Amino acid sequence: MWADRMTPLHVLRRARLALSVVAFALALPACAMDAGTPQAAQSHAAPKGTPSMHTATAEDSSALARATFTIVRDGEGGRLRVAYTVHNTSSGWLYVFDRGDTHAVSTKRQRLGDIAPPHEGATAEGTTLTHAPKPIGTPSPTAPPIPLASAIAPGARHAAEFFYTVPRDRGAAPLRYCVTIAPAGTRVGESLPGSEVYRVDGAFGLERTTLCSPWFDSDAAAFRDR
């Protein structure tokens, strides 16, 4: 028989071959030996130098409402997301004057239902963005613009947001956002067709209140202490 004629050299070669097969099998990854077993998901850290998102939140309140302000800066650019939520803590309805006016809508500068661009005022302190009824001016135009507003029921809240790009020449200046509210009485009428927007003809006769965020430090991406 062949096995009876094997020399010690043949035995040594067979042993080396067997050891090589075992070593190769141990070196294979688990998925190569068992295709039915899924591999664990891998998580990777963000590459160094990737811009990070910075978020700052603050509150302001009055006898009628409480407002929460959040400013988000994504990366190092000058574009900010300004979000605000007004909680009606009074027993009556509230108007929030953040929908522009009838003139902006009629001239197609703004679509009915959209949040209006805030008024921008730059002073030595910084830049203030404000949603408020636009002054009629003197002399009064023949067809003055009528303020448009959101309305909040007692105990309810109104949340909205807009984007603002900080001008290059004011990139390091602080910024704050203010929103104007006013009592609407025990009820409000019907909203304008196809929207949740209310025309407030007597807006300038109402007792208006303005709620403001603290100053936002663009470099630190944080609110300053009041």
Side-chain angles (χ1 to χ4, degrees), residues 117-129:
H119 172 73
E120 181 180 344
T123 65
E125 292 184 274
T127 301
T128 300
L129 306 176

Side-chain angles (χ1 to χ4, degrees), residues 93 95-96 98-99 112-114 148-152 157-159 188-199:
W93 283 76
Y95 288 127
V96 181
D98 60 356
R99 303 292 180 138
L112 178 64
D114 287 353
L148 301 176
S150 306
I152 320 175
R157 64 180 184 174
H158 166 67
V188 292
E190 293 293 328
S191 58
L192 295 178
S195 73
E196 295 181 356
V197 177
Y198 294 80
R199 173 179 166 137

Side-chain angles (χ1 to χ4, degrees), residues 39-59:
Q39 298 186 60
Q42 299 292 317
S43 61
H44 302 279
K48 292 184 178 179
T50 300
S52 57
M53 182 176 290
H54 301 274
T55 302
T57 301
E59 289 189 349

Side-chain angles (χ1 to χ4, degrees), residues 72-107:
V72 180
R73 190 190 74 187
D74 191 357
E76 301 302 323
R79 191 167 189 255
L80 304 175
R81 179 167 66 88
V82 181
Y84 56 100
T85 302
V86 180
H87 306 256
N88 184 353
T89 58
S90 73
S91 58
W93 283 76
L94 288 181
Y95 288 127
V96 181
F97 293 98
D98 60 356
R99 303 292 180 138
D101 56 54
T102 53
H103 183 67
V105 172
S106 64
T107 56

